Amino acid sequence: MSLIRVEDLTKVFPTRVGLLRKGLIRAVDGVSLEIDSGETFGLVGESGSGKTTLGRCILCLLTPTSGRVWFDGVDLTGLDGRDLRRMRLRMQIVFQNPLASLNPRMNVRSIVSEPVRVHWGLDPSEADRRVRKLLGMVGLHEEVLGQYPHELSGGQCQRVAIARALAVEPKFLVLDEPTSSLDVSVQAQIVNLLKQLQRDLGLTYLFITHDLSLISYLADRVAVMYMGKVVEIGGVLDVLERGVHPYTRALRSAVPVPDPTVGRRRIPIRGEIPSAMNPPSGCRFRTRCPWAQDRCAAEEPVLRGVQVTQVACHFAESIAEEVVA
């Protein structure tokens, strides 16, 4: 059963070029997807592809320009004020930079207790008991209660951020690159913690990252984004091992293999990412794609089933046959 359903979601940011001319940046452009209850849905792509904007639009932290978002059957885009605030108790976010996401003037006790005091109206003693339970769930000792964010390590800060997100017992978490600013050993600890919490609490995750090796360990399904559009979507192993979109193949070829005896043919992505204010016509990846033809410039591809994934590419079948050959 789908917990999250996104339909034709678009987010446009106005911007100014020079003194007179104005422009529009389509950070998310016509994205549709579904996230099932209890699953981890991965979202991958280069920096600037629209992953974080999509995650924040799903939570209505950013108001979508058009399109609709349903959470557990409720249309979030039709809510405002008190109704939206009530729904946000069931949806939370963990940001990329844990130190920047925590108030430097509040200690750990205040940071984690604030959501339950504001939303649940708990008195100080009840809130303190809740905080101690949450810290235990994320693997922190009670000694950190009086400490401030700058006194904690990066891993400890991220555990505090996770505890704060879990304070009001949400069912859905957007994890916006929660391990990218951490050391490798700490990354593994946080990833294992997230998997354990998902099993214990029945959580649903939208996991945003550019690390394909990480998403293959965590996710059930994955969507690949490029310049605001989803170009391929499917089961995580189907996309990462048998995905046929040229962009997916290039990303997959860049993942390092921890074995010097194993060779891998790198598929370079030529050129630079086009301007988001003036994207290419047709397929947005065509200016960097080795398989691009005239049709790619004239007609925008739509997601369609090819083998085991849904791919937005006019020549996906030909590419798939070439890969097999």
Side-chain angles (χ1 to χ4, degrees):
M1 178 180 178
S2 297
L3 181 68
I4 299 290
R5 183 158 63 93
V6 177
E7 183 179 286
D8 200 24
L9 190 71
T10 297
K11 179 60 180 177
V12 178
F13 293 102
T15 186
R16 183 178 294 276
V17 182
L19 295 177
L20 299 177
R21 188 162 63 93
K22 295 182 179 180
L24 298 174
I25 295 177
R26 302 181 74 86
V28 177
D29 194 358
V31 170
S32 297
L33 54 84
E34 295 186 6
I35 303 175
D36 294 334
S37 180
E39 81 167 334
T40 298
F41 189 95
L43 199 58
V44 301
E46 292 174 284
S47 296
S49 60
K51 306 185 300 297
T52 294
T53 302
L54 176 58
R56 295 189 182 193
C57 285
I58 290 175
L59 297 179
C60 290
L61 295 176
L62 292 174
T63 303
T65 304
S66 63
R68 304 176 76 179
V69 179
W70 283 269
F71 176 83
D72 202 12
V74 178
D75 184 0
L76 298 181
T77 51
L79 302 179
D80 57 11
R82 183 178 301 176
D83 292 333
L84 183 57
R85 184 179 179 184
R86 188 181 302 116
M87 291 299 298
R88 282 195 176 129
L89 291 175
R90 304 174 64 189
M91 309 176 294
Q92 294 293 311
I93 185 170
V94 177
F95 295 97
Q96 178 176 357
N97 187 340
L99 188 59
S101 68
L102 303 177
N103 190 328
R105 297 188 177 185
M106 296 172 67
N107 60 25
V108 172
R109 176 184 279 107
S110 300
I111 289 171
V112 181
S113 67
E114 185 178 37
V116 293
R117 287 188 288 103
V118 171
H119 292 287
W120 289 358
L122 298 186
D123 61 42
S125 61
E126 292 175 323
D128 193 63
R129 284 195 293 271
R130 177 67 177 161
V131 169
R132 292 174 186 272
K133 180 180 179 181
L134 287 165
L135 292 184
M137 289 170 57
V138 299
L140 289 174
H141 297 292
E142 295 181 0
E143 288 80 359
V144 304
L145 282 170
Q147 293 184 303
Y148 290 82
H150 71 273
E151 299 176 297
L152 305 175
S153 68
Q156 287 176 317
C157 282
Q158 196 61 291
R159 289 174 189 268
V160 171
I162 294 170
R164 179 182 61 181
L166 295 176
V168 290
E169 299 181 352
K171 289 300 180 184
F172 174 62
L173 289 184
V174 173
L175 304 169
D176 187 7
E177 303 206 37
T179 63
S180 63
S181 63
L182 306 176
D183 294 336
V184 175
S185 59
V186 180
Q187 286 183 17
Q189 295 172 15
I190 296 298
V191 167
N192 289 330
L193 171 64
L194 291 170
K195 287 178 72 70
Q196 182 65 47
L197 290 170
Q198 185 176 41
R199 287 193 296 267
D200 293 345
L201 304 177
L203 297 170
T204 302
Y205 292 154
L206 172 61
F207 197 95
I208 299 170
T209 185
H210 58 269
D211 188 340
L212 268 66
S213 59
L214 181 60
I215 211 69
S216 65
Y217 175 69
L218 269 175
D220 302 296
R221 292 187 299 131
V222 63
V224 182
M225 286 192 72
Y226 181 78
M227 290 195 69
K229 288 187 171 292
V230 171
V231 298
E232 190 156 13
I233 188 170
V236 63
L237 294 182
D238 293 332
V239 171
L240 298 186
E241 293 182 2
R242 290 179 283 175
V244 297
H245 193 281
Y247 182 61
T248 304
R249 296 188 64 220
L251 292 179
R252 185 172 65 232
S253 74
V255 177
V257 178
D259 186 346
T261 64
V262 176
R264 169 172 289 185
R265 185 171 68 91
R266 180 72 184 271
I267 304 174
I269 303 178
R270 65 189 185 189
E272 299 293 331
I273 299 178
S275 169
M277 290 181 58
N278 186 28
S281 61
C283 175
R284 295 190 176 184
F285 189 63
R286 68 175 176 80
T287 58
R288 308 172 73 190
C289 178
W291 286 276
Q293 300 182 32
D294 292 342
R295 182 184 177 188
C296 301
E299 181 183 344
E300 182 177 334
V302 297
L303 284 171
R304 57 194 178 87
V306 177
Q307 293 188 348
V308 292
T309 66
Q310 287 189 302
V311 188
C313 178
H314 296 306
F315 306 104
E317 291 86 356
S318 301
I319 296 172
E321 292 175 2
E322 181 178 325
V323 171
V324 171

